[in-house]
Amino acid sequence: MLLSRVAERVYWQARYLERAENTARLVSVFSALLMDLPPGTKLGWESLIQITGNEKNFSERFKLAKERQVIRYLLAERNGISIIEMLAAARENARTTREILPAEAFELINELYFRTRDKADAGVDRGKRYEFLADIVTECQQFWGLMAGTMIRDSAYSFVRMGRSLERADMTTRIVDAGSSNLLPDLEIEVDDPESREPYENILWMNILLSQSAYQMYRQHVREPVKAEEVVRFLLQSEEFPRATSHNLTTVTKVLEKLPNSSRVKWQTDKVRRLVREADINALLNHGLLHFYPHLFLSRSAGDVENLLRRGLLQYLDNVQKEIAKVHLRIAETWFQHNT
């Protein structure tokens, strides 16, 4: 069995790298929408900060949540949560555990960090952003392919898989959160006619799928047009799609079978798995709040009602994220006590 400090470092190395990749994917959703939506459409850029849970820190650095400020904060700022910071943390954890990782793995992380650091300012520019983000995603995928193809299946690999899968499960809920938030606040359409928003909502959800490399798989396996209910169900509840939340929670349970003293972690993981797998997505999207808080809907316009209904899903996603965070706490309590 690994020393606890080594297990913790490989676990966090995996989480940091996966978080950097998913932040790149999240920013890509917004950047792609700029090209697909009508000219002059303003996106709710502050939603990206809300999804990462760093509103207070952001407001201390910037007065307004405009595109350039948000992108710089998520890509290049030295703030503890940006892509460049995540890659620096992944690199440091990989550096201190080089003896148990494939030699090429550290080299890949090292090169990715320095290349991203040198190009981070260029990535803030809208014209160069797509290539910058796509390179990060591609190189992270290259790293995971290398690990899968060359690392022995021992305890270290189990902690790598657990860190990556738990981070991916959480970040996929946040990607869905992005699609469910009010990202299209200033479309010049009739606010009391929700159907007039539908074409733009479909564009949004198509970009959500593309950000997760999920569009082709969705069309093959769901066999339905791109619409909110089906996309949310696919990304949260699919057991077959590798980036779906349910699939990754299942992976965590499989990893736990190979590790000692895992009963408390497994109990919490099973709890959040049930929360995800048994959710009625259609009810959450369409009448979750209406059932529990009917007074909220009195004397509301159709546009306001739609926004209220959507809050049912947002509250559910927030609960899922809290339960996933508890899985991490159980992992830390079980294995990361730093006893030598």
Side-chain angles (χ1 to χ4, degrees), residues 87-311:
L87 292 177
R91 175 182 177 272
E92 179 60 19
N93 280 282
R95 184 187 67 79
T96 56
T97 55
R98 291 179 69 173
E99 69 278 4
I100 63 172
L101 298 176
E104 298 88 348
F106 174 72
E107 293 173 9
L108 275 177
I109 293 181
N110 196 49
E111 291 172 5
L112 174 59
Y113 165 70
F114 284 110
R115 189 157 46 247
T116 303
R117 185 196 64 178
D118 294 343
K119 295 182 178 180
D121 289 334
V124 177
D125 181 73
R126 188 184 296 179
K128 300 177 181 178
R129 190 180 307 157
Y130 176 80
E131 182 179 357
F132 173 77
L133 295 172
D135 285 346
I136 292 173
V137 171
T138 298
E139 292 183 47
C140 287
Q141 291 290 294
Q142 183 180 355
F143 173 84
W144 295 124
L146 173 69
M147 294 288 279
T150 62
M151 190 169 181
I152 193 169
R153 270 42 176 179
D154 56 4
S155 296
Y157 188 71
S158 293
F159 279 100
V160 168
R161 287 185 70 201
M162 186 159 56
R164 181 192 64 183
S165 297
L166 193 63
E167 184 68 31
R168 187 176 290 180
D170 177 72
M171 287 298 287
T172 297
T173 69
R174 295 176 188 275
I175 295 282
V176 173
D177 208 339
S180 306
S181 302
N182 188 22
L183 305 187
L184 309 175
D186 298 312
L187 286 174
E188 295 181 358
I189 56 179
E190 294 294 330
V191 294
D192 288 334
D193 180 14
E195 290 185 2
S196 65
R197 296 178 66 93
E198 185 173 351
Y200 305 106
E201 297 279 1
N202 290 344
I203 290 172
L204 169 63
W205 286 108
M206 184 176 73
N207 277 284
I208 293 288
L209 287 169
L210 289 170
S211 77
Q212 295 296 87
S213 303
Y215 180 71
Q216 185 179 3
M217 295 300 100
Y218 172 90
R219 295 305 300 268
Q220 285 183 15
H221 292 270
V222 178
R223 301 186 183 280
E224 292 282 348
V226 174
K227 54 184 179 181
E229 291 89 345
E230 296 300 331
V231 174
V232 171
R233 188 174 292 109
F234 182 72
L235 291 179
L236 291 183
Q237 297 180 327
S238 174
E239 284 289 343
E240 289 76 32
F241 182 61
R243 304 198 70 82
T245 296
S246 185
H247 174 92
N248 282 283
L249 291 171
T250 297
T251 299
V252 173
T253 64
K254 292 177 179 178
V255 169
L256 291 173
E257 294 173 358
K258 301 180 179 181
L259 294 173
N261 307 317
S262 61
S263 58
R264 295 182 69 224
V265 185
K266 187 177 185 303
W267 185 91
Q268 179 61 32
T269 305
D270 287 340
K271 178 183 177 182
V272 68
R273 277 181 74 204
R274 289 192 299 271
L275 182 63
V276 172
R277 296 171 67 180
E278 297 173 8
D280 187 335
I281 300 301
N282 187 63
L284 287 168
L285 273 168
N286 294 301
H287 54 76
L289 281 179
L290 181 60
H291 176 74
F292 293 104
Y293 308 106
H295 64 281
L296 294 175
F297 296 83
L298 298 177
S299 303
R300 298 275 186 170
S301 68
D304 287 341
V305 167
E306 183 187 24
N307 288 333
L308 280 170
L309 292 173
R310 188 150 293 182
R311 279 172 51 193

